[in-house]
Amino acid sequence: MTSASSQPRKTILVITDAEGVAGVCRQDQTDPKDGEMRQLLTGEANAAVEGFLAGGADEVIVWDAHDGSQSLSALTIHPKAKLLIGDLGATMGCERGYAGVAFVGQHSMANVRMGVMAHSYSSLGIQNILMNGRPVGEIGTRAALAGWYRIPVILLSGDTAATEELKAIVPQAEVVAVKEGLARYACISMSAENARAAIRDGATRAMKKLDQIPPYRIEGPVTFEIEYTTRNSLPIDAGRAPGAEVVDDRTIRYKGKDFLEAWIRGNAGF
Ligand SMILES: [Zn+2]
């Protein structure tokens, strides 16, 4: 037996979203039934798969994570990829032991200047999420979740604001900016073809330097504060959940002894 055969399988989880895809800039394009968006997203996801496989990944799982898993199809996903459909729950399946996590089509967190359709989990429902007092969105929370399991985030593609958000916490990760935000609903985008080529190359580079990209670890007790929009107000019994504390009519705080405990408590509110 060669030593290569005893190496653990290298599985990459690709988290997809719609708002950070090249050519997607208006809210109506994020409808999961929008045919053009689905093609654009599929092309970018498949380019990432191609790049990861070329860089040495054994398996790539693509999670259709935008709005209820209705945007990707087994008919058009890369033939060598696996498609993950549905909700993964609070731990994102990290117990399975991915070698790395990647974001494709990612947007920046809520309230970011020049962030194309910037929001944190829900543009209608959530005004702001703070983790240990600092604003976070999908990038920061999911990187910390993967990091809890000692899994690094190795690649992100999206608008420039989203790439900067990951670089601020994981400078070693590969990022591909496929469009530059001018405002919430205005951007200068690459063509689909060029975006795909850049993502493919970025994925190969990321895979080759996998061992040099550290997991994003949040140590010690963690607090999540979720401020809902004015459309929402906390239910009457909101403060009864374990570790929960009502801050005001539409803000709740969850505390945990460590990241995972706080995340599982707070995640119920996203
Ligand atoms: Zn999102």
Side-chain angles (χ1 to χ4, degrees), residues 14-18 21 41 44-45 48 102-106 155-157 199:
V14 177
I15 304 169
T16 64
D17 213 343
V21 172
L41 173 59
E44 292 193 2
F103 294 94
V104 166
Q106 187 58 49
L155 172 78
L156 179 144
S157 72
I199 291 168

Side-chain angles (χ1 to χ4, degrees), residues 139-256:
I139 297 170
T141 52
R142 286 175 169 161
L145 176 62
W148 173 263
Y149 291 90
R150 304 195 182 277
I151 301 166
V153 173
I154 61 172
L155 172 78
L156 179 144
S157 72
D159 67 336
T160 306
T163 63
E164 285 168 357
E165 197 172 313
L166 180 64
K167 276 288 189 186
I169 55 172
V170 189
Q172 301 89 341
E174 284 292 327
V175 295
V176 180
V178 298
K179 60 189 175 188
E180 180 195 342
L182 304 175
R184 280 286 173 279
Y185 304 105
C187 74
I188 300 174
S189 177
M190 280 168 109
S191 66
E193 193 177 326
N194 277 2
R196 291 170 189 181
I199 291 168
R200 184 166 54 244
D201 293 350
T204 302
R205 281 196 306 274
M207 201 65 217
K208 294 217 157 120
K209 66 175 195 187
L210 188 68
D211 300 341
Q212 295 146 48
I213 308 175
Y216 177 55
R217 296 278 302 174
I218 305 289
E219 308 289 352
V222 169
T223 300
F224 277 103
E225 193 167 303
I226 307 167
E227 181 193 355
Y228 294 99
T229 59
T230 49
R231 288 170 175 242
N232 290 330
S233 95
L234 296 171
I236 194 159
D237 58 353
R240 295 234 183 110
E245 180 195 340
V246 172
V247 179
D248 61 36
D249 182 51
R250 52 186 185 82
T251 309
I252 188 160
R253 192 180 291 146
Y254 296 92
K255 285 188 176 153

Side-chain angles (χ1 to χ4, degrees), residues 38 42 64 71-79 81-85:
R38 294 169 67 150
T42 301
D64 185 353
S71 304
L72 297 176
S73 165
L75 285 171
T76 49
I77 202 74
H78 191 291
K82 286 182 178 150
L83 179 59
L84 202 161
I85 304 165

Side-chain angles (χ1 to χ4, degrees), residues 17 107 119 138:
D17 213 343
H107 55 84
H119 64 278
E138 278 107 306

Side-chain angles (χ1 to χ4, degrees), residues 1-10 58:
M1 281 276 123
T2 61
S3 62
S5 65
S6 59
Q7 297 269 313
R9 241 170 113 67
K10 285 195 185 124
D58 298 303

